[in-house]
Every structure is written in structure tokens, then in C-alpha cells.
Amino acid sequence: MKRFIGFIKKEFYHIFRDRRSLFILFGMPIAQILLFGFAITNEINNVDIAILDHTKDTTTKEIINKIAASEYFSIKQIIEKESDIEAIFKKGKVKAVLNFEKDFSKHLIKENKATIQIITDATDPNTANTITNFVSAILQTYQKELNKNITITYQIVPASRMVYNPELKSVYMFVPGVMTIILMLVSAMMTSISITREKELGTMEILLVSPLKPIQVIVGKVFPYIFLSIINAIVIVVSSIFIFKMPVQGSLFLLAIESILFIISALALGILISTISATQQTAMMISLMGLMLPVILLSGFIFPISSMPLPLQMISNIIPAKWFIIITKGIMLKGVGIQFIWKETLILIGMTVFFMALSVKKYKIRLE
Amino acid sequence: MRLPLPWEINMNNKKVIQVDRLTKMFGDFTAVSAITFDVEKGEIFGFLGANGAGKTTAIKMLIGISNPTSGKAKVAGFDVFTNAENIKKNIGYMSQKFALYDDLTVRENITFFGGIYGLTRKRIKEKSNALIEELGLKDVANKLVGALPSGWKQKLSFMVSLIHDPKIVFLDEPTGGVDPITRRQFWELIYKAAHNGTTVFVTTHYMDEAEYCDRVSIMVNGKIEALDTPKKLKEQFKVDNMNDVFLKLARG
Amino acid sequence: MGITIRNISKSYKNVKALQDISFNVKKGELFGLIGPDGAGKTTLFRVLTTLLFADQGSATVAEFDVVKDYKSIRNNVGYMPGRFSLYQDLTIEENLEFFATIFGTTIEENYDLIKDIYIQIEPFKNRRAGKLSGGMKQKLALCCALIHKPKVLFLDEPTTGVDPVSRKEFWEMLKRLQLKGITILVSTPYMDEAALCDRIALIQNGKILEIDTPKEIVKHYPKQIYNVKANNMYRLINSLKAYEHNHSVYPFGEYVHYTDSRTDFNTEDLKTYLETKNLSNIYIDKTVATIEDTFMELAK
């Protein structure tokens, strides 16, 4: 036991003396959260638009006011004729122009059908799409208020969003994904690098020619990173609660347990990587290509799994991150308990045990 | 009676390295302390010293990759402060750590380094053939350098450092770990280069190699404590080999 | 018996790193493995320290079999690999403490064994290992390899790239350790260090060329060696190499070591020949063979 504690002490020396890595370790989660929260987002905020109103009566004014009052849009300009539209886009001043048809109110009241043309700058197709959706949503709300007897037959905004993310905040969607990435990165990449570093330095030779048991070396290497990963997970959850006011619906305790489970599976993967790579560089490349890309692309973090081709959907099943994202989304956004995610949890446990066993078996007590 | 020294025989008596009170400080620490010496054309100059005596720092200044704190130095006629780029064109450098690219063939390595120094394609071809011929590498010219024994690599690496006919070649521990026969073949290459007028500036931990040099300087704690022919140094310290000269000096 | 090696062979892909190596190292002996890079020294060390399996043959260290009893060996040997392999980001003291702990001991417990060496670096004990000079790193590495009081000490090229002063000190330390009953197997590419060992094995291309005491080994040299000197070294070497009767020509410090292929060699003939080559101040005299001469003759 004393040997083991001595080993862990040494690992912590390494971690705390490598200022740069330490900064990355703790700076990264914050940076990622902010990045996904503010920059890479498909929600819109104070988008500049222009209005072309051919009707100019109370109804159109009311609608314009509603739009102006929303935090999503700010009306930059009122234009008078169709020919101005192109000019204003060319100047790049606005992202969209709302064109109210002639006799808008008349059509609306009599035929329950009036047209607003939403012209968007599609050089940024995501934003254009979102603007269209948001304007439509505002119009529907207005329509509902206007005529309560009429049923709205179509839904513009995707149902899933409205249900679990009624505020349309995509940062809520990203938090589980970011957490998954960070935990994967810290646990798998850092462990694999720290083991291969010993190989590269030649200290692994000395450790092998010592009475330390393989399991002591592995656990000793892994332990500090469990600790760091847990801290990271806490940092992510706390910052999303405080910076983005994200409500965590489910049990924090359950979230913690599931996170530790995922961390351990990632650590096992890290050890596995270290057994097949001879240098820190290879370990890093394998971690990035073999772990990060699948996590980003195939886990359902950014691209919904249901819209992937079938072969990719099947591959996504063997990625632990996919299951962890389902679990965390469940706990954080839907507030579900273990009874709804026991299946995913079991899969994750199975994977963890498998990777752990494999990495202990693969860990060499000799060179070669 | 004493033997005439090579640079005394040489008609083109010319100083190719002139160092005057060259100093390098790192903060409060003086790594190189006001060293002064000259090296003549075609001379084999041994630059010895214990680990950490400041040899590497001094060499870095002379080859123009580190700026001196004070003092003056001219290498191949160019000032190390103002004309480092021209120095680099006129010197060759070989260190123990970096030799050649293991994943390129012998020929590819020569072509690559020839290209770096701006040799024409024709010249590179001539040089490669001559060089491969001289080292007896014909059979392995198209093999990866990584597959060659380390002694061959060292010799090839030395020849490559001479590819642009530099005025001076700097060798930083060129023979570490090489077997004794190859080590001697290596020194024969050095003699030949010096004979052809290239100045050789060499560091080594093998004290018998110090005897091969025309003159030897020994650095202790950043200062040059001794500088003369091996013969004179042995007389001065009343010992029979350079190893004992070194031990006497470095141990104080 | 300290170490026994029986017919060990080991190949990597198509390189035969070790070919049928056999020798013994007696308990308490300081045994040198002398040979250049790539001779197979490191491979042999790794087989003996249980890091590699040999393809063939068997070996024991401190009476433990390197395959079956690898755990016991790992408890009883100290190993200093070729390159400096300590933690650069830990201080001298932390490195030493770490190695003491993983071997289940403490610095205090075996302090008397390392004391001589450790007091030289103790003033810097709070300095990180990465910031030490070559000689100091080497002393620290030796302390770390000794801290658990090993029965057998394996030192793979401990003095490579180290200056002559530190090298001399290092060998003095080894001599003192030997007096404490530790068996030492040390490898080096420096032939002059061979004379400091009790016995040496000359090794090249995975084969043992010769095993004996340094004194005996030079006696095996088959020829009379002559020191030759003249006013121009380069021309002297070329002239000697062109001389039809030469057996070997090697620059050796300020002289060239020359041996002749004839039994009735006369130095005057050689002098006359050299004079025809426009060399002057010619000096020719008998000298005794060194280990390096022997090695070159055997490796030829």
C-alpha cells in the first residue's frame, strides 16, 4: 500500500508541475462550454432585420411590434419598395427582410390566410433557417391570440425542441456533449500520454524491473485522472448552471455515479491505447482520431443518430459516449431516474468491465 | 627541435575563427566567460571541457544560433552579431543527436541536404556519386539510412555536413558510442578534410582523440584554462597523456 | 554465482542481436561488457533484467531464473538503463524517495550504501533532475538503482557522453560498491574503462569476441605493435596504408599503431619507405598492445 501511495504522490507531482497541461486540463472545459454556449450555437439573438410593409395598418404594426419586442430580432431599417431589398442585402446590413403583402389584414381576417415573405441571407444557411423558424413561431403565437377558435394544423418548430428545450437554448443540448468530450479527453488521452511518456523516457524499464505489480502501476496511473475528471465534471455542471442558468432536472447524485462509470471506461480505453503506442505522439493521435472523432461525430452529440445511415447507426452503438450522452441528457434535461436509463447504464457497465479486463490483460510486464 | 605545425606549413596563413572575449550570460549565470582564441585555416581544433563547462553554449554562438552577451567573434570572416546568416552558409555542423533522416535513403539524404545549401542538381549528383564511392556505400545507396550500422551513419553524416564545401565544420561529439575501428576511419575522414583546407572544430570525450588535434583548448567553468598543442600541454602539466591533462585541469 | 548465461540467442526481425552468448559473472565481481553501439549489450541487459525473453538459452541472476523467477529478480537487482531515465520534473530527493518507496524501503534504511555518492549531490536535493549536469544525473541514477540494496547491479553504458572527470569518479564509486559485496555488470563503449574491471567480455555484432581479465586479454594480441610518428599525420596514415607489408594501421593518440605482416620486420625498411614518401622526423618504436588494439584485431 505504501508503494502505491508513493506512486500516486509521484503522479500528482507530474501533473501539478506541468503547468501547461494543467492549464489545458482546467481551462478546456470552461473554454468548451463557452465556445458551444456562445459561439457555435444555432439560436439567434438580436438579429438585424428590415421590414417592408405594404399595408401599414394596426395588424401589421402589432406584428412588427411583437417581432421588435422579441430578444431574437432588432429592426434595423424600414424600407419602402421591393427594389430596396437587394440593395440592403448587398450592404450586408441585415440578415433578413420581412415583406408584408398588400392588404395583409384583410386577407388574414377574411381568408384566415395572409402572407409574409421571409427573405433571408442564405450565405449562412443555419441562421437563415433558424430566423425563418423563429419568425414563424412568433406569427403563430400572434395568430393564436388573434383567433382562438382556429386550430393550428402545422408545427414549424421541431417538436423535440419545444418539449425538452422550450426556451430553444441549444447550450442545454451541448452541455452533456461537452461533458462527454472533456471527460473522454482528460481520462483517455491524458492517461495514455502519461503511460507512454514513461516508455519514452525509459522510466518504464525501471518500473518494470521493480517489484511493483502491473495492477499497481495501472491503478496508480489512473487514479489521479479519476480525481481530475471528477473535478472537471463538477466544473462543467456548475458553470452551466451558473453561466447559462441551465436547470438540472434529475438527481445530481445519479449524475455523479454515471459520470464516474463513464470516466472509468474512458480510463480503461486510455490504458488500452497506451499499450499499443510507443510514443506520446502516437498515443495522442490515436486518442484524437480513435476517440474524439467518433465522440463528436457518431455519439449523437452534434448530429442526431436517427438521421445517420444504418451502418453508422450500428457503429454508434459500440461507442460508450453515445450511451453516456443518452444518460446525461435524460438526467439533466428530462429529469429521469434510474428506472428509465438502467438499460444504457448496464451497457456502459458492460463496456467498462470489458475494456478494463482487456487493458489489464494487454498490459505488458516485459518490453516488446 | 619541434615539429612544424600544419598551419605553419600552410602557405595561406589565415584565421578563419577569431574569438575575442566572447561572453554569454544567462541571468546571473556566466555560461561562457570572455573566451579568446583563434583557429587557422585547415586546422583541427579540439574543443574540450567537462559536461556543463560551456562548450555547447560557445559552439551555438559560433555557428550563429545564439547571440553573445558581449565580446567579438568572426567566423569564416563574418561577424556573429551582424552576419549570422552568412556564417551558416559557410559552415557545416554535425551533432551527435541529429544525424540524418532514418526514413530517407542514403541518396535521398544527400540530395536533401545538398538542396538545403542550394547546390545545383548537377552538382548534387556529382557530389552524391563521389561521396557514395568514397564511403563504399554503393550497395546501400538506395537503402534507408535507418537500416545502416551506426558507424556508417556517422561517417555519412560527416560527409553530408561537408556537402557544400564549407570553410569550417563543427563536430559536436561526432564519435560517441562508435566502435574503435569506425572511430579511426572517421578520424581519417577528418584528416582528409583538414588536408583539403577545411577547418575542423571538434568536441569529444575520448581523450585519445584529443591527441589527434593540432591544437586543443580545455574549458573549465566557462573559461578556457588551457590552449596549446597536445604535446605542449602534456609538457606543461608534466603528464604523458591528454586524459591526465584533462583530469588535472578540470579537478583544479 | 552472480550471473550465469547459457547459450543465449535473441533476434529482432532479421537482426541477430545476440548469438549464442555464454559466460558467468562471479559473486562480487566487477564485470565489464565492452563493445560499440549496436553490439547487443543493451539486449543482453534486458534479457538479464527480465525485460525481454531470449529466443534460446537460459540465464540466472543471483541464482534466480530470468524466466521463472522474474519476480524475485525484480526484487533483487538494481538497473540503470542506457539513457538517463529518471523523472526530470521531480527533484533529486523526490526521485530517490519514489524509488525507495516502490521497492518497499526508505532512504534512511539503506543510506550507508549510497552515502558516499549521495552527499555529492545532496546540496542540490531540491533541484529538479532535468536541470542537473550529466555527471550529477548519473550519480542520482546510481543512487536510485542502489536504494533497495540490490544483490546485482546492472549498469548499461553509465558513462556514455560523460566527461573524463565524472567518468573517473564514477568508476571509483563502482570500486567502492564492489567492496560492499555487490555484483556489478557494467557495459561501456570506452575501451580505456575496461582496464578498471576484474574481467571483461569484448562483444560485437551479438557475439562475444573474448572473455578474460584486462591483463590477460592484451596478451592475446598476436603481433608486435609499433608506435609510428612523423611530421604529417595525414600523409603518414596514407603512406602506411599504401605500404604493401602492413597488417594494420590505426591512428592512436599522437602515434599510429602499426603492425607488419612479415615475421622478419625491420623498422629501418619502414623508415626508408616513409622517407621516400617525403615524410620527415620519423619516429618508430615498439609499444605494448592495449585493449582497444585487441578489440580491433578481433573485430577485424
Side-chain angles (χ1 to χ4, degrees), chain B residues 212-248:
Chain B
Y212 299 158
C213 301
D214 296 322
R215 281 193 305 153
V216 167
S217 76
I218 300 178
M219 256 182 114
V220 182
N221 297 328
K223 295 194 184 77
I224 291 186
E225 292 290 349
L227 196 169
D228 215 324
T229 62
K231 190 172 165 12
K232 286 218 177 139
L233 286 175
K234 284 183 281 181
E235 282 167 15
Q236 187 189 333
F237 289 90
K238 300 184 182 66
V239 291
D240 6 290
N241 58 53
M242 282 305 290
N243 199 42
D244 292 342
V245 172
F246 192 93
L247 291 180
K248 272 202 164 176

Short mmCIF file of all heavy atoms in Angstrom, two decimals, chain B residues 212-248:
data_model
loop_
_atom_site.label_atom_id
_atom_site.label_comp_id
_atom_site.label_asym_id
_atom_site.label_seq_id
_atom_site.Cartn_x
_atom_site.Cartn_y
_atom_site.Cartn_z
N TYR B 212 44.69 13.69 -31.49
CA TYR B 212 44.67 13.80 -32.95
C TYR B 212 44.59 15.26 -33.41
O TYR B 212 44.81 15.56 -34.57
CB TYR B 212 43.45 13.09 -33.55
CG TYR B 212 43.35 11.61 -33.28
CD1 TYR B 212 42.13 10.95 -33.36
CD2 TYR B 212 44.49 10.86 -32.98
CE1 TYR B 212 42.03 9.60 -33.12
CE2 TYR B 212 44.38 9.50 -32.75
CZ TYR B 212 43.15 8.86 -32.82
OH TYR B 212 43.04 7.54 -32.58
N CYS B 213 44.24 16.14 -32.49
CA CYS B 213 44.01 17.52 -32.88
C CYS B 213 45.34 18.27 -32.99
O CYS B 213 46.32 17.95 -32.33
CB CYS B 213 43.14 18.23 -31.85
SG CYS B 213 41.54 17.45 -31.64
N ASP B 214 45.34 19.29 -33.86
CA ASP B 214 46.53 20.14 -33.95
C ASP B 214 46.69 20.95 -32.68
O ASP B 214 47.77 21.05 -32.11
CB ASP B 214 46.40 21.07 -35.15
CG ASP B 214 46.38 20.29 -36.45
OD1 ASP B 214 47.12 19.30 -36.55
OD2 ASP B 214 45.62 20.66 -37.36
N ARG B 215 45.60 21.56 -32.27
CA ARG B 215 45.61 22.28 -31.00
C ARG B 215 44.36 21.93 -30.23
O ARG B 215 43.32 21.58 -30.81
CB ARG B 215 45.68 23.79 -31.24
CG ARG B 215 47.08 24.29 -31.59
CD ARG B 215 47.15 25.79 -31.50
NE ARG B 215 46.10 26.38 -32.34
CZ ARG B 215 45.57 27.58 -32.09
NH1 ARG B 215 45.97 28.29 -31.06
NH2 ARG B 215 44.64 28.05 -32.88
N VAL B 216 44.48 22.07 -28.92
CA VAL B 216 43.37 21.69 -28.06
C VAL B 216 43.12 22.82 -27.07
O VAL B 216 44.08 23.38 -26.53
CB VAL B 216 43.73 20.40 -27.29
CG1 VAL B 216 42.74 20.14 -26.17
CG2 VAL B 216 43.78 19.21 -28.23
N SER B 217 41.85 23.14 -26.86
CA SER B 217 41.54 24.07 -25.77
C SER B 217 40.72 23.30 -24.74
O SER B 217 39.95 22.41 -25.09
CB SER B 217 40.73 25.25 -26.29
OG SER B 217 39.40 24.87 -26.51
N ILE B 218 40.92 23.63 -23.49
CA ILE B 218 40.14 22.95 -22.45
C ILE B 218 39.38 24.00 -21.65
O ILE B 218 39.97 24.93 -21.11
CB ILE B 218 41.04 22.11 -21.52
CG1 ILE B 218 41.76 21.04 -22.35
CG2 ILE B 218 40.22 21.46 -20.41
CD1 ILE B 218 42.71 20.17 -21.56
N MET B 219 38.07 23.84 -21.64
CA MET B 219 37.22 24.80 -20.93
C MET B 219 36.87 24.27 -19.55
O MET B 219 36.54 23.10 -19.38
CB MET B 219 35.92 25.00 -21.71
CG MET B 219 35.85 26.29 -22.47
SD MET B 219 34.27 26.45 -23.29
CE MET B 219 33.59 27.82 -22.41
N VAL B 220 36.97 25.14 -18.56
CA VAL B 220 36.55 24.79 -17.20
C VAL B 220 35.71 25.95 -16.70
O VAL B 220 36.15 27.10 -16.72
CB VAL B 220 37.76 24.58 -16.27
CG1 VAL B 220 37.30 24.18 -14.88
CG2 VAL B 220 38.70 23.53 -16.83
N ASN B 221 34.49 25.65 -16.29
CA ASN B 221 33.58 26.66 -15.75
C ASN B 221 33.48 27.92 -16.63
O ASN B 221 33.58 29.04 -16.14
CB ASN B 221 34.00 27.07 -14.34
CG ASN B 221 33.90 25.90 -13.40
OD1 ASN B 221 33.04 25.03 -13.56
ND2 ASN B 221 34.79 25.85 -12.43
N GLY B 222 33.34 27.72 -17.92
CA GLY B 222 33.10 28.85 -18.81
C GLY B 222 34.35 29.55 -19.30
O GLY B 222 34.27 30.44 -20.14
N LYS B 223 35.51 29.19 -18.75
CA LYS B 223 36.75 29.84 -19.19
C LYS B 223 37.64 28.84 -19.91
O LYS B 223 37.62 27.65 -19.60
CB LYS B 223 37.52 30.37 -17.98
CG LYS B 223 36.83 31.47 -17.21
CD LYS B 223 37.85 32.11 -16.26
CE LYS B 223 37.19 33.15 -15.39
NZ LYS B 223 36.41 32.56 -14.28
N ILE B 224 38.44 29.34 -20.86
CA ILE B 224 39.44 28.47 -21.46
C ILE B 224 40.66 28.46 -20.57
O ILE B 224 41.31 29.49 -20.38
CB ILE B 224 39.79 28.94 -22.88
CG1 ILE B 224 38.58 28.70 -23.80
CG2 ILE B 224 41.01 28.19 -23.42
CD1 ILE B 224 38.83 28.98 -25.25
N GLU B 225 40.94 27.31 -19.95
CA GLU B 225 42.03 27.24 -18.97
C GLU B 225 43.35 26.80 -19.61
O GLU B 225 44.40 26.98 -19.03
CB GLU B 225 41.66 26.27 -17.83
CG GLU B 225 40.51 26.77 -16.95
CD GLU B 225 40.91 27.95 -16.07
OE1 GLU B 225 42.12 28.27 -15.99
OE2 GLU B 225 40.01 28.57 -15.47
N ALA B 226 43.26 26.18 -20.77
CA ALA B 226 44.49 25.76 -21.43
C ALA B 226 44.25 25.73 -22.92
O ALA B 226 43.15 25.41 -23.37
CB ALA B 226 44.90 24.37 -20.95
N LEU B 227 45.28 26.11 -23.69
CA LEU B 227 45.13 26.09 -25.14
C LEU B 227 46.52 25.94 -25.73
O LEU B 227 47.36 26.83 -25.58
CB LEU B 227 44.48 27.39 -25.61
CG LEU B 227 43.90 27.41 -27.03
CD1 LEU B 227 43.06 28.64 -27.22
CD2 LEU B 227 44.91 27.29 -28.13
N ASP B 228 46.77 24.79 -26.36
CA ASP B 228 48.07 24.58 -27.00
C ASP B 228 48.03 23.28 -27.77
O ASP B 228 46.99 22.62 -27.85
CB ASP B 228 49.18 24.55 -25.94
CG ASP B 228 50.46 25.18 -26.48
OD1 ASP B 228 50.73 25.02 -27.68
OD2 ASP B 228 51.16 25.86 -25.71
N THR B 229 49.19 22.90 -28.33
CA THR B 229 49.24 21.60 -28.97
C THR B 229 49.21 20.54 -27.88
O THR B 229 49.65 20.80 -26.75
CB THR B 229 50.55 21.44 -29.77
OG1 THR B 229 51.63 21.52 -28.85
CG2 THR B 229 50.69 22.55 -30.80
N PRO B 230 48.71 19.34 -28.21
CA PRO B 230 48.67 18.28 -27.20
C PRO B 230 50.04 18.05 -26.58
O PRO B 230 50.17 17.88 -25.36
CB PRO B 230 48.21 17.06 -28.00
CG PRO B 230 47.46 17.60 -29.14
CD PRO B 230 48.09 18.91 -29.47
N LYS B 231 51.07 18.09 -27.43
CA LYS B 231 52.42 17.85 -26.95
C LYS B 231 52.83 18.86 -25.88
O LYS B 231 53.30 18.50 -24.79
CB LYS B 231 53.37 17.94 -28.16
CG LYS B 231 54.76 17.49 -27.91
CD LYS B 231 55.48 17.47 -29.25
CE LYS B 231 56.89 17.38 -29.21
NZ LYS B 231 57.96 17.21 -28.74
N LYS B 232 52.60 20.12 -26.17
CA LYS B 232 52.99 21.16 -25.24
C LYS B 232 52.18 21.10 -23.95
O LYS B 232 52.69 21.35 -22.87
CB LYS B 232 52.80 22.54 -25.87
CG LYS B 232 53.86 22.86 -26.90
CD LYS B 232 54.23 24.32 -26.82
CE LYS B 232 55.34 24.64 -27.79
NZ LYS B 232 55.09 25.94 -28.45
N LEU B 233 50.89 20.76 -24.09
CA LEU B 233 50.06 20.66 -22.90
C LEU B 233 50.58 19.56 -21.99
O LEU B 233 50.63 19.71 -20.77
CB LEU B 233 48.60 20.38 -23.29
CG LEU B 233 47.83 21.56 -23.89
CD1 LEU B 233 46.44 21.12 -24.33
CD2 LEU B 233 47.70 22.69 -22.87
N LYS B 234 50.97 18.45 -22.60
CA LYS B 234 51.49 17.34 -21.80
C LYS B 234 52.78 17.75 -21.11
O LYS B 234 53.00 17.40 -19.95
CB LYS B 234 51.70 16.10 -22.69
CG LYS B 234 50.39 15.40 -23.02
CD LYS B 234 50.60 14.14 -23.84
CE LYS B 234 50.84 14.48 -25.30
NZ LYS B 234 51.01 13.27 -26.12
N GLU B 235 53.62 18.51 -21.81
CA GLU B 235 54.86 19.00 -21.19
C GLU B 235 54.53 19.95 -20.04
O GLU B 235 55.07 19.86 -18.95
CB GLU B 235 55.71 19.75 -22.23
CG GLU B 235 56.48 18.83 -23.17
CD GLU B 235 57.04 19.56 -24.37
OE1 GLU B 235 57.10 20.82 -24.33
OE2 GLU B 235 57.40 18.89 -25.34
N GLN B 236 53.62 20.86 -20.33
CA GLN B 236 53.27 21.88 -19.35
C GLN B 236 52.76 21.25 -18.05
O GLN B 236 53.11 21.68 -16.97
CB GLN B 236 52.19 22.78 -19.97
CG GLN B 236 51.84 24.00 -19.13
CD GLN B 236 50.60 24.70 -19.72
OE1 GLN B 236 50.31 24.61 -20.91
NE2 GLN B 236 49.89 25.40 -18.86
N PHE B 237 51.93 20.20 -18.19
CA PHE B 237 51.36 19.59 -16.98
C PHE B 237 52.16 18.37 -16.52
O PHE B 237 51.75 17.70 -15.58
CB PHE B 237 49.89 19.22 -17.24
CG PHE B 237 49.01 20.42 -17.34
CD1 PHE B 237 48.78 21.03 -18.56
CD2 PHE B 237 48.42 20.96 -16.20
CE1 PHE B 237 47.98 22.16 -18.66
CE2 PHE B 237 47.60 22.09 -16.29
CZ PHE B 237 47.39 22.69 -17.52
N LYS B 238 53.28 18.10 -17.21
CA LYS B 238 54.18 17.01 -16.83
C LYS B 238 53.44 15.68 -16.70
O LYS B 238 53.56 14.98 -15.69
CB LYS B 238 54.90 17.34 -15.51
CG LYS B 238 55.74 18.60 -15.63
CD LYS B 238 56.52 18.84 -14.34
CE LYS B 238 57.31 20.12 -14.43
NZ LYS B 238 56.44 21.33 -14.52
N VAL B 239 52.67 15.35 -17.71
CA VAL B 239 51.97 14.04 -17.73
C VAL B 239 52.20 13.44 -19.11
O VAL B 239 52.66 14.12 -20.03
CB VAL B 239 50.46 14.19 -17.47
CG1 VAL B 239 50.21 14.60 -16.03
CG2 VAL B 239 49.84 15.19 -18.43
N ASP B 240 51.83 12.11 -19.27
CA ASP B 240 52.08 11.54 -20.59
C ASP B 240 50.86 11.39 -21.47
O ASP B 240 50.97 10.91 -22.59
CB ASP B 240 52.83 10.18 -20.56
CG ASP B 240 53.03 9.65 -19.19
OD1 ASP B 240 53.83 10.27 -18.50
OD2 ASP B 240 52.38 8.64 -18.83
N ASN B 241 49.69 11.73 -21.00
CA ASN B 241 48.58 11.69 -21.96
C ASN B 241 47.57 12.79 -21.68
O ASN B 241 47.57 13.42 -20.62
CB ASN B 241 47.91 10.31 -21.97
CG ASN B 241 47.42 9.93 -20.59
OD1 ASN B 241 46.69 10.69 -19.97
ND2 ASN B 241 47.83 8.77 -20.11
N MET B 242 46.72 13.01 -22.67
CA MET B 242 45.75 14.11 -22.58
C MET B 242 44.71 13.87 -21.48
O MET B 242 44.18 14.81 -20.91
CB MET B 242 45.04 14.28 -23.93
CG MET B 242 45.86 15.02 -24.96
SD MET B 242 46.43 16.63 -24.39
CE MET B 242 44.90 17.54 -24.34
N ASN B 243 44.44 12.58 -21.22
CA ASN B 243 43.48 12.28 -20.17
C ASN B 243 43.93 12.89 -18.85
O ASN B 243 43.14 13.52 -18.13
CB ASN B 243 43.35 10.76 -20.05
CG ASN B 243 42.08 10.36 -19.33
OD1 ASN B 243 41.03 10.94 -19.58
ND2 ASN B 243 42.20 9.40 -18.44
N ASP B 244 45.21 12.76 -18.55
CA ASP B 244 45.73 13.30 -17.29
C ASP B 244 45.77 14.83 -17.31
O ASP B 244 45.55 15.46 -16.27
CB ASP B 244 47.12 12.73 -17.01
CG ASP B 244 47.05 11.24 -16.69
OD1 ASP B 244 45.94 10.77 -16.37
OD2 ASP B 244 48.09 10.55 -16.78
N VAL B 245 46.03 15.40 -18.50
CA VAL B 245 45.97 16.86 -18.61
C VAL B 245 44.57 17.32 -18.21
O VAL B 245 44.38 18.22 -17.39
CB VAL B 245 46.28 17.32 -20.05
CG1 VAL B 245 46.01 18.81 -20.20
CG2 VAL B 245 47.70 16.99 -20.43
N PHE B 246 43.60 16.62 -18.80
CA PHE B 246 42.20 16.98 -18.56
C PHE B 246 41.84 16.84 -17.07
O PHE B 246 41.26 17.73 -16.47
CB PHE B 246 41.31 16.09 -19.41
CG PHE B 246 39.88 16.54 -19.45
CD1 PHE B 246 39.45 17.37 -20.46
CD2 PHE B 246 38.98 16.15 -18.48
CE1 PHE B 246 38.15 17.81 -20.49
CE2 PHE B 246 37.69 16.57 -18.50
CZ PHE B 246 37.26 17.42 -19.52
N LEU B 247 42.25 15.71 -16.51
CA LEU B 247 41.90 15.47 -15.11
C LEU B 247 42.54 16.51 -14.21
O LEU B 247 41.92 17.01 -13.27
CB LEU B 247 42.34 14.06 -14.69
CG LEU B 247 41.55 12.92 -15.33
CD1 LEU B 247 42.07 11.58 -14.83
CD2 LEU B 247 40.07 13.04 -15.03
N LYS B 248 43.80 16.87 -14.50
CA LYS B 248 44.49 17.85 -13.67
C LYS B 248 43.79 19.20 -13.72
O LYS B 248 43.61 19.86 -12.70
CB LYS B 248 45.94 18.02 -14.16
CG LYS B 248 46.89 17.05 -13.51
CD LYS B 248 48.30 17.56 -13.59
CE LYS B 248 49.19 16.81 -12.61
NZ LYS B 248 50.59 17.22 -12.73
#
